[in-house]
Amino acid sequence: MTAAQAVTRRLAELVLVFLGVMFIIYVMVFTLPGDPIMALGGDRPLPENVVAELRSRYHLDEPVWKQYLYYLQGLAQGDLGTNFSGQPVADRLAARWPVTIALALTAWGIELVIGVGLGLYAGLRRGRVGDRVVLAGTILAASVPVFVVAVSAQLVFGVQLGWFPVAGTTQGWPTAYLLPAACIAVFGLASIARLMRGSVIDTMSSDFVRTLWAKGLTRRQVVGVHVTRNSAIPVLTYLAIDLGYLLGGTVIIEGIFNLPGVGQLLFQAIRAHEGPTVVGVSTALIIVFLVANLVVDLLHTALDPRIRHE
Amino acid sequence: MSEATASVEDATAEHTGPPPGRGVWQTLRRRPLFWACVVVLTLLGLVAAVPSWFAGWFGQPDPRVCDLSSSAQAPSAEHVFGTDLQGCDVWANVIFGTRNSLSVGLLSTAVALAVALVVGTLAGYRGGWADRLISRLTDVFLGFPFLLGAVVVLTSVGSRSPVSVSMVLALFSWPTMARLVRSSVRSVRGAEYVDAARAMGLSTARIVRRYVLPNAIGPVLAVATISVGSVIVAESTLTFLGLGLRAPSISWGLQLSSAQSYFQTAPHMLVFPSIFLTVTVLAMITLGDILRDTLDPRGR
């Protein structure tokens, strides 16, 4: 299979998954029992012709699959719905992306640097004390819920020690973002460290590394260049999966640290029971997740040519 | 089934040596960490089953007996874990909250595992269009980031009982397990003993139940154990966001959610439920990890 074919096939798969995901959201949210038009009138039933007019205006008189197509058409034009006060959700989102992107990228960076570092350290010392400490630490980090980490970190580093701002973005990047990003990164960092550790152990016992040693390369050359680069490929795949977790994490973290991003909008909308905003924002985040996965998949093929010819 | 085939079956069983389960048990038995997890989880199971045995240890047995005049008090002799905002005993609430957290984790994982076993076996053993359909379906569900998917569904689901929350979490956790079952069933399907069973004319249902599943179930059991831990975390996170259980239910997530706004003045309201939550999840994840290490022959 050529690279172009592989990319086309991957794109076709993404479209299928995308349509499926949107269909599930659509079914869950818009076709649940209850009649919104009848509810508009309250106790007094609306006149027959008003009901008919409203039904045809919102396409409620047409079959479900057609309604779904209208919904997709709206999405394609950037229509994420309107909230209860008539504001389009997409407008409210627009100003908030930079904060969330800065937060997610900072978290990604922390995960990558510390996770790969710890994994490399543990993998090279398999079975020794350092390795065991890292392993135990990663299990612990994976078991503490992110909001517990965030609230505790806020209390210790923000309130008591005063090292970081407690909340808000007034101090700008990076000061205001480091602590929230570190809190989201804890979980992914643990997974990356474990993944990297396993991968390093596999690579160290592979034939090409034995050849490198036999060639007389120094430890720095073998580990620093060849082992690290070859072990990092699974980590890259994980980064894409992890984005889903990061985006979910931003909802909680931005809520707790009061960062005015997309996640905070979702956090506030949930607490205010604003259904349309919740669905619109989640849909936008899910679309970002799907696209990021595609990009990483394509990058992955470029980095490891073996995958192309599977 | 005739007697002749039955005895042939017994003979083949004898030749393959002890069933795979026994070797695993021998390895597990020698690991102290395994026993530590078992003890912690048994204790928590007991607490969840009969909270009243444990709640009264420090003289405040009823989580719903609250005294507003002693709101958010730090731990004292009377209230070992302190009191919450409503003046209720935090220890009693943590003890009574165990049941909801554990049952959501177990129920959700049990449902997801059952679905994954049926669907994954169908896809792996049958192959063909069933496989293609199921694989695309798991792709779609894996397209949802776990938490965001649950947020969308729970926003539109009106009732919030432990059962409905479990079902929503199960909806997003079966696909990972189904994929795992599919791949391990596929690797077992071609084994000689499965061919032999087929050649003897055993029914498909019997082959799957006696030969395929017992040999393919290991990896998914390890993942399911870990999943119980992740589901408990997810439940508390959703409850914290305001989408999970609601008062007057008692759960760790609810305690943490109400404690969050007061953590500067009354950190004990946050600390004690967090410790219980973390220890539970830690025990589940560690147990799953140990199982996976033991079941994966490369790790031995």
Side-chain angles (χ1 to χ4, degrees):
Chain A
M1 201 191 293
T2 66
Q5 275 174 322
V7 170
T8 321
R9 200 177 136 180
R10 186 68 189 80
L11 272 175
E13 269 176 29
L14 179 93
V15 170
L16 261 182
V17 169
F18 179 81
L19 290 178
V21 167
M22 290 309 138
F23 187 68
I24 290 172
I25 296 181
Y26 178 78
V27 169
M28 286 296 171
V29 178
F30 296 100
T31 57
L32 280 176
D35 189 337
I37 301 294
M38 291 314 238
L40 278 179
D43 291 338
R44 256 189 314 165
L46 291 170
E48 200 68 30
N49 55 347
V50 175
V51 172
E53 161 60 21
L54 283 173
R55 277 194 203 289
S56 76
R57 183 184 302 170
Y58 295 109
H59 308 297
L60 292 176
D61 49 354
E62 294 183 59
V64 174
W65 64 269
K66 250 189 165 167
Q67 291 184 33
Y68 172 61
L69 287 184
Y70 284 119
Y71 167 74
L72 280 182
Q73 193 188 353
L75 271 186
Q77 293 163 354
D79 177 11
L80 292 165
T82 43
N83 70 358
F84 288 138
S85 40
Q87 255 179 316
V89 174
D91 288 1
R92 300 188 66 196
L93 271 178
R96 289 171 172 265
W97 280 112
V99 173
T100 301
I101 291 172
L103 182 65
L105 286 181
T106 315
W108 241 358
I110 295 175
E111 275 178 13
L112 196 61
V113 172
I114 302 183
V116 167
L118 279 180
L120 197 61
Y121 172 85
L124 293 175
R125 281 165 191 72
R126 185 185 190 186
R128 287 195 254 162
V129 181
D131 179 30
R132 280 163 193 272
V133 170
V134 170
L135 271 185
T138 55
I139 297 187
L140 184 66
S143 340
V144 189
V146 63
F147 62 93
V148 172
V149 175
V151 176
S152 324
Q154 207 178 22
L155 179 63
V156 175
F157 297 109
V159 178
Q160 288 175 351
L161 296 174
W163 291 355
F164 296 98
V166 178
T169 49
T170 43
Q171 301 195 22
W173 196 87
T175 328
Y177 288 90
L178 274 179
L179 191 61
C183 294
I184 314 184
V186 166
F187 183 88
L189 192 157
S191 314
I192 289 181
R194 309 195 89 193
L195 202 61
M196 185 70 189
R197 174 186 175 271
S199 179
V200 166
I201 289 171
D202 281 350
T203 315
M204 285 297 274
S205 58
S206 66
D207 289 341
F208 83 89
V209 171
R210 201 183 47 196
T211 312
L212 294 174
W213 292 121
K215 252 171 74 178
L217 293 191
T218 62
R219 185 175 168 83
R220 180 192 280 186
Q221 284 171 311
V222 174
V223 173
V225 179
H226 299 277
V227 172
T228 307
R229 196 188 291 167
N230 280 286
S231 311
I233 290 172
V235 173
L236 190 70
T237 320
Y238 178 78
L239 277 181
I241 304 170
D242 187 52
L243 184 69
Y245 177 80
L246 278 184
L247 292 176
T250 58
V251 180
I252 297 147
I253 296 289
E254 287 181 5
I256 292 176
F257 284 95
N258 200 20
L259 307 177
V262 176
Q264 191 204 34
L265 181 62
L266 185 50
F267 182 83
Q268 290 167 345
I270 292 170
R271 297 219 154 174
H273 302 287
E274 256 191 64
T277 313
V278 174
V279 175
V281 176
S282 314
T283 311
L285 287 175
I286 290 168
I287 293 173
V288 171
F289 173 68
L290 290 174
V291 173
N293 264 289
L294 173 76
V295 172
V296 172
D297 256 22
L298 298 180
L299 268 182
H300 198 221
T301 325
L303 278 182
D304 190 349
R306 281 171 299 181
I307 294 165
R308 210 175 288 160
H309 305 290
E310 65 182 70
Chain B
M1 163 135 341
S2 72
E3 263 191 320
T5 38
S7 64
V8 170
E9 237 183 279
D10 288 343
T12 46
E14 267 171 35
H15 280 293
T16 53
R22 205 172 294 166
V24 170
W25 175 239
Q26 296 290 346
T27 321
L28 281 181
R29 224 175 51 173
R30 282 191 228 105
R31 299 194 59 170
L33 203 53
F34 169 72
W35 290 109
C37 293
V38 169
V39 168
V40 169
L41 293 174
T42 315
L43 260 179
L44 283 166
L46 264 180
V47 169
V50 266
S52 45
W53 285 2
F54 300 86
W57 280 7
F58 304 103
Q60 298 286 338
D62 193 340
R64 298 197 197 276
V65 170
C66 308
D67 179 9
L68 263 180
S69 61
S70 56
S71 163
Q73 280 180 351
S76 62
E78 205 183 337
H79 302 282
V80 271
F81 280 9
T83 58
D84 67 12
L85 200 63
Q86 314 295 328
C88 313
D89 188 56
V90 172
W91 164 262
N93 270 283
V94 168
I95 291 297
F96 274 86
T98 311
R99 181 182 291 174
N100 270 335
S101 295
L102 271 191
S103 53
V104 168
L106 290 175
L107 179 62
S108 167
T109 308
V111 171
L113 182 63
V115 173
L117 280 179
V118 173
V119 168
T121 311
L122 190 67
Y125 194 78
R126 261 288 142 70
W129 66 267
D131 185 21
R132 278 198 293 278
L133 181 71
I134 289 166
S135 296
R136 288 293 86 79
L137 203 61
T138 54
D139 279 349
V140 166
F141 275 95
L142 290 172
F144 283 97
F146 188 71
L147 194 64
L148 291 177
V151 164
V152 171
V153 178
L154 279 172
T155 308
S156 35
V157 172
S159 75
R160 306 277 169 73
S161 62
V163 176
S164 66
V165 173
S166 309
M167 289 307 128
V168 172
L169 291 173
L171 183 67
F172 292 101
S173 46
W174 70 268
T176 327
M177 290 192 241
R179 276 200 175 174
L180 201 62
V181 173
R182 171 181 175 272
S183 65
S184 41
V185 163
R186 273 170 77 96
S187 67
V188 170
R189 185 178 61 172
E192 281 169 9
Y193 56 82
V194 176
D195 281 345
R198 214 175 289 139
M200 283 192 301
L202 299 189
S203 71
T204 309
R206 194 177 162 84
I207 295 175
V208 167
R209 252 186 302 126
R210 283 215 52 172
Y211 299 98
V212 176
L213 273 185
N215 289 295
I217 206 170
V220 78
L221 280 187
V223 167
T225 315
I226 296 177
S227 161
V228 175
S230 345
V231 167
I232 292 177
V233 171
E235 182 270 325
S236 69
T237 308
L238 288 168
T239 304
F240 178 80
L241 283 175
L243 283 171
L245 301 175
R246 284 182 184 151
S249 293
I250 297 177
S251 92
W252 296 337
L254 277 171
Q255 283 184 282
L256 292 169
S257 176
S258 63
Q260 188 235 335
S261 327
Y262 304 94
F263 74 95
Q264 294 193 26
T265 46
H268 66 271
M269 287 167 25
L270 190 83
V271 169
F272 294 111
S274 306
I275 292 176
F276 267 69
L277 182 60
T278 306
V279 168
T280 311
V281 177
L282 192 61
M284 278 293 173
I285 292 185
T286 313
L287 184 66
D289 242 36
I290 295 173
L291 282 178
R292 189 169 53 186
D293 278 0
T294 319
L295 289 166
D296 182 5
R298 283 189 307 170
R300 266 190 235 176

